[in-house]
Amino acid sequence: MSVAFTKEESAETAAETQLPDRPVSPHPNLVTDAGLKALEAQLLQAQMAYEGAQKIEDANERRRESALPLRDARYFAARVRTAQVMPAPASTDQIAFGSTVTFKRGDGRVQTYTIVGEDEADPKRGMISYVSPVARLLMGKSVGDVVEVTGQELEILTIA
């Protein structure tokens, strides 16, 4: 039955609960093994939340509760489908996808980051996306190289 033939509240609710898709990056969906597993877990979680919402009897409440998990399930299904698992770096001579890099900033701070896929990135946990400005500058560099990021020098100390 069309929403046009239901209560007015239902038509309003239907319009409110149609969420736009999450934006998908134009970059290749490179991931680590752990990143793929995390995407699969998030997809499963979204699917389970959607299934749970479908058990709600009230149509308006069911629509409201299923909108977010449905959108997330579409996003994570696309990300799992397009994921390209990258092998661990073969060498620690140069920085590559999956490398863990320790560098010293011009102000003396020492930081360590692992270069990962976009969905895996979490700078607070020491993981930066391979498309981030810092990662792009670091890729291909070696221990002892210095790169400049927003007016600040980064000296590469170790690559693991």
Side-chain angles (χ1 to χ4, degrees):
M1 172 165 32
S2 168
V3 173
F5 296 107
T6 60
K7 297 189 300 183
E8 187 173 325
E9 178 184 338
S10 296
E12 290 171 6
T13 303
E16 290 172 4
T17 57
Q18 293 181 0
L19 300 175
D21 282 340
R22 290 175 61 172
V24 175
S25 170
H27 301 287
N29 186 15
L30 307 182
V31 297
T32 63
D33 284 330
L36 179 58
K37 286 181 177 82
L39 285 172
E40 291 169 339
Q42 289 171 306
L43 172 58
L44 181 61
Q45 187 177 25
Q47 290 170 332
M48 290 173 52
Y50 177 75
E51 289 171 11
Q54 292 306 297
K55 295 176 183 173
I56 298 172
E57 288 189 31
D58 181 348
N60 292 326
E61 187 63 24
R62 182 174 54 245
R63 210 175 285 124
R64 269 192 292 275
E65 291 298 317
S66 64
L68 187 61
L70 182 59
R71 177 183 73 169
D72 287 348
R74 285 191 310 261
Y75 175 81
F76 290 119
R79 296 304 278 176
V80 167
R81 187 176 52 256
T82 61
Q84 298 173 37
V85 178
M86 299 298 290
S91 165
T92 57
D93 294 339
Q94 288 187 330
I95 299 169
F97 185 94
S99 293
T100 299
V101 185
T102 301
F103 54 84
K104 183 168 69 172
R105 293 184 172 271
D107 62 7
R109 288 185 294 160
V110 175
Q111 294 181 295
T112 301
Y113 289 104
T114 301
I115 299 173
V116 296
E118 291 178 277
D119 292 311
E120 301 174 76
D122 184 354
K124 290 180 183 175
R125 290 186 29 226
M127 302 166 91
I128 59 173
S129 167
Y130 79 100
V131 298
S132 70
V134 171
R136 285 182 179 199
L137 287 172
L138 292 173
M139 299 283 258
K141 302 294 189 252
S142 301
V143 172
D145 287 349
V146 176
V147 297
E148 188 174 321
V149 179
T150 60
Q152 191 173 130
E153 289 185 345
L154 307 178
E155 179 187 355
I156 300 165
L157 302 176
T158 64
I159 303 170

